[in-house]
Each structure stands twice: as structure tokens, then as C-alpha cells.
Amino acid sequence: MSCPPAQIGAPFSEIDTPALIIDLDAFERNLDTMAAAASKLGVRLRPHAKTHKSPIIAAKQIARGAVGMCCQKVAEAEVLVAGGVSDVLVSNEVVGPRKLERLAGLARHARISVCVDDAIMVEQLAPAAERAGSQIEVLVEIDVGAGRCGVRPGPAAATLARQVTASRFLSFGGLQAYHGSAQHLRTPEERRAAIAGAANATAETLRVLKDAGFQCRTIGGAGTGTFELEGASGIWNELQAGSYIFMDADYAKNLADGARNASPFEHALFVLATVMSTGAGEHAVIDAGHKALSNDSGFPLVLGRPDLRYHRPSDEHGLLEFDSASSRLALGDKVTLIPGHCDPTVNLYDWYVGVRGFNTPDARVEALWPVAARGAVT
Ligand code: PLP
Ligand code: MN
């Protein structure tokens, strides 16, 4: 692990680059806003740790009322449990004997749940839990429109639930009903229509399960783009939003009726970069390319400089293009970027640099937190 790019107490100007910055004030407001929203909607919040990969941040979410964490990988769950999180849902399918053995072992130390969408997974999970002497809660995942994982809504879910309850080392916990592709639909109307479809599919499955004698403790799903819809539906009772803590340039494009500030969440994650060359004078070259920013959902924006356009990233370089009227950047100047996609950007760094008073003359480093589950992909 690399050494942190700044020391605690240092002024903002002393942070070395590229660095992953958290605006602590905005981040804390985001945490509070989501905690209050979930409480007002009357649903549980189980935030997604795939965004932050940090037990320190998980603890802040749990302190504000979250019931536990979600993650996508067994390795992330291991880091969360080692860091003190006692209730983790792997909101994903886990396949292969080695992973199942680790998951079952982890369930000796924390409350662990996992998603399944195939009888073969249940066949392998049950003996793994038996060997570990542990108990694992299972959510049956249904495909509510994203076209990724999940069985078809309806009777297939009851078949899997029956298979789960046949093992005394497994318990049936309910449904995973996450509509991933709805999160980034650009208009509220599109998102509303997608979640209305997901709600019908989930309600139909709940009816089938009830007729078959199954109770669902958990009906989980939702992300930052749609959580208000699932939360108000009367169907879902556990929200799994992740990106709300940081927001990214892509989520900022989810506009309500073209209103710029439609989201209740603020950008709180940034990449600080330095101008390392001015080339032949046509542009600025910064030290943040593909290894400092994930560009899969679009390029970053430059904070406070809408006249600068990021483009042509290579491994270690990014170009900033000027408008004709722009004030030019000089060698050594620093720029603050709003990443296009927060989750994979976080996974590129060893450290979060938490800044208090971000974007003020008094901005200082208050916290250095490891991205503890960075690279935890198994
Ligand atoms: N739940 C599941 C199962 C996910 O895969 C994701 C993200 O991909 C989320 C919740 C969180 O979504 P977001 O980061 O958009 O809030
Ligand atoms: Mn994401």
C-alpha cells in the first residue's frame, strides 16, 4: 500500500496528486439526507459498500441508522466484517466452492446473507454452511427488468425458496429485487415507469410466495437513482443505495425536468490533479488518466471551471482543453475533478483524503482513510 498523499492537518494546497478527496461537510450532509429520507419513507437502509469499500464509512452509515451493509463480493464482506460490521448482505450471486467456503466461514462471525438465482447455488451453499457450522440467510433474486441476474418473477422464486428451507443451515430471508438499469435513466418519468414495472413483478412474486406459505422478512433493492420510488411503493422494505454518499458526474445527469439541482445529494468525491505539462501551449496535461479516474460512464467535470473540457485520457495523462476565452493553466496548477463514475474510481486509490472546509481558504486535511477493500474482487 502506498503512503498517503497528505498528512493530517495539512492545508489543501499541500495534498500531493493524483488524490482521492472527500469533501467531509458535503459527505456528512449526504449521509444525513439519506438516513432522514429512509426514516421518513419508513423503510430500512442497508447502504451499498461497493461504492466506498471502507468499514470506516460503513460505521458512519450504521451510526445514522443503517441496519447493515450490502457488498458485491465475498472479499468485500470479509473486509467489512474484519472492520467491525456485524450484518452484511452479499447482494450478488456467489459461485464456486472456495468462495462459498469463505462465505460460510464468515457467517460464524457476523450475520451474513446472500442472493441466489439457481438451484445449483443452493445445492452448494447448504453443505458449505453445514461444514462451517454456520447459518446463512438467502434472498432469492428476481429479474425485475434489468435483464442481468435473477430468476423470472413468479413461481421460480417459490421453487428456490422451498429448496432453501429444506436445509437447516440456510434460512429464506425474502427477495432481492434490484433494477440496476433504471438507476441512470435520465428522466423521472422513465425511472418511474421502470420501477412501476419492477413493483408489479415483485408484488406478483410475493403473492406466489405467500400462497406457498413463505414470509419475506426482506424485500431489498433500489439505488441512488430510484430509492424514493421503491421506498414509497409499499413493496420494498430495504434500500441499497450506494453512490449517494459521493455522487458523480454521471448521476448529476439524472435531471428532474431539466432542473440542475434536482438531486438532494451533493458532489462529495473529487480527484485532485496537477498540470504536468502544457504541451505546445494548446492544452494542459494533467496527471490523472485511466489509472486515476474511471471513464466508463463519461469523463470527469472540472469543478468551478466549466470552460475546461477533459478528454483523451491515456494511462497516466488526461488533457484539458480550453475555450478560446479561458484563462490558461500553468505548469504546477492544480485542478479538482468530479469523477464520471464514483465506484470504480474509488477502487483505483489506496487512500481517501478527507478535507474539512473544502473549497474555502481554510481547507485542511482532517482524515486519511484506507480504501480497505480496494481490489477485493473475489
Ligand atoms: N444494489 C445493488 C445490488 C447494486 O448492484 C448497486 C449498484 O450497482 C446498488 C444497490 C447501488 O446503486 P447506486 O450506487 O447506484 O446507489
Ligand atoms: Mn456505480
Side-chain angles (χ1 to χ4, degrees), residues 1 35 37 103 109 118 131 135 180 187-188 206 210 240-241 268 270 294 308-309 326 336 344 346 370:
M1 181 147 147
L103 189 74
H109 307 285
D118 198 301
R131 277 193 299 275
Q135 191 74 34
T187 67
L206 288 170
K210 191 164 174 236
Q240 303 175 345
F270 303 92
S294 179
L308 299 179
R309 206 170 58 84
S326 292
T336 304
V346 164

Side-chain angles (χ1 to χ4, degrees), residues 16 27 38 41 48 66-67 82 104 106 137 140 144 165 194 203 249 278 286 293 295 302 311 332 358 366 377:
D16 208 349
F27 163 73
L41 289 162
H48 221 298
V67 295
L106 198 60
E137 188 188 76
V140 172
V144 292
T165 51
T278 53
I286 55 172
L293 290 158
N295 296 310
V302 186
H311 72 145
F358 178 79
E366 182 180 289
V377 290

Side-chain angles (χ1 to χ4, degrees), residues 14-308:
E14 285 183 14
I15 302 171
D16 208 349
T17 69
L20 187 67
I21 307 284
I22 299 180
D23 170 350
L24 291 173
D25 303 282
F27 163 73
E28 288 163 6
R29 284 193 293 273
N30 288 344
L31 293 177
D32 291 340
T33 298
M34 182 58 93
S39 147
K40 191 157 170 229
L41 289 162
V43 292
R44 305 193 293 265
L45 178 62
R46 179 183 290 278
H48 221 298
K50 74 194 275 277
T51 304
H52 54 68
K53 293 177 162 277
S54 160
I56 294 174
I57 294 179
K60 293 180 188 303
Q61 293 172 309
I62 290 165
R64 285 166 172 82
V67 295
M69 299 305 295
C70 292
C71 64
Q72 298 291 66
K73 299 302 185 103
V74 176
E76 289 176 331
E78 286 166 339
V79 171
L80 291 170
V81 171
V85 179
S86 61
D87 184 337
V88 179
L89 162 66
V90 181
S91 61
N92 205 355
E93 279 64 24
V94 174
V95 174
R98 176 83 189 108
K99 288 189 177 72
L100 293 173
E101 189 190 333
R102 284 163 50 212
L103 189 74
L106 198 60
R108 286 199 298 259
H109 307 285
R111 185 175 180 281
I112 297 292
S113 27
V114 67
C115 296
V116 304
D117 69 356
D118 198 301
I120 296 170
M121 293 171 64
V122 184
E123 275 166 30
Q124 295 180 352
L125 185 61
E130 179 168 9
R131 277 193 299 275
S134 63
Q135 191 74 34
I136 298 176
E137 188 188 76
V138 176
L139 302 186
V140 172
E141 178 160 14
I142 55 173
D143 178 2
V144 292
R148 195 170 62 181
C149 299
V151 296
R152 189 170 300 164
T159 306
L160 278 180
R162 206 167 288 117
Q163 190 191 355
V164 168
T165 51
S167 164
R168 68 189 171 85
F169 298 94
L170 305 180
S171 61
F172 172 67
L175 292 178
Q176 170 73 356
Y178 174 66
H179 196 325
S181 59
Q183 302 308 314
H184 296 267
L185 292 173
R186 290 301 178 219
T187 67
E189 292 71 31
E190 290 169 294
R191 296 195 293 275
R192 206 170 295 125
I195 299 308
N200 285 338
T202 307
E204 182 207 328
T205 310
L206 288 170
R207 268 193 302 276
V208 173
L209 285 168
K210 191 164 174 236
D211 289 349
F214 292 107
Q215 296 261 345
C216 292
R217 196 185 83 85
T218 299
I219 298 112
T224 301
T226 64
F227 73 93
E228 284 156 310
L229 301 168
E230 284 94 336
S233 66
I235 294 173
W236 284 267
N237 62 10
E238 204 168 279
L239 306 181
Q240 303 175 345
S243 300
Y244 72 95
I245 60 169
F246 293 148
M247 292 302 284
D248 52 34
D250 187 52
Y251 254 128
K253 292 179 189 153
N254 277 20
L255 308 181
D257 305 324
R260 262 279 146 208
N261 296 316
S263 169
F265 305 108
E266 306 168 48
H267 292 299
L269 185 82
F270 303 92
V271 166
L272 185 67
T274 301
V275 176
M276 56 188 285
S277 168
T278 53
E282 303 297 305
H283 53 235
V285 184
I286 55 172
D287 60 351
H290 290 302
K291 290 189 181 177
L293 290 158
S294 179
N295 296 310
D296 63 292
S297 303
F299 289 147
L301 304 173
V302 186
L303 183 70
R305 291 292 305 264
D307 57 313
L308 299 179

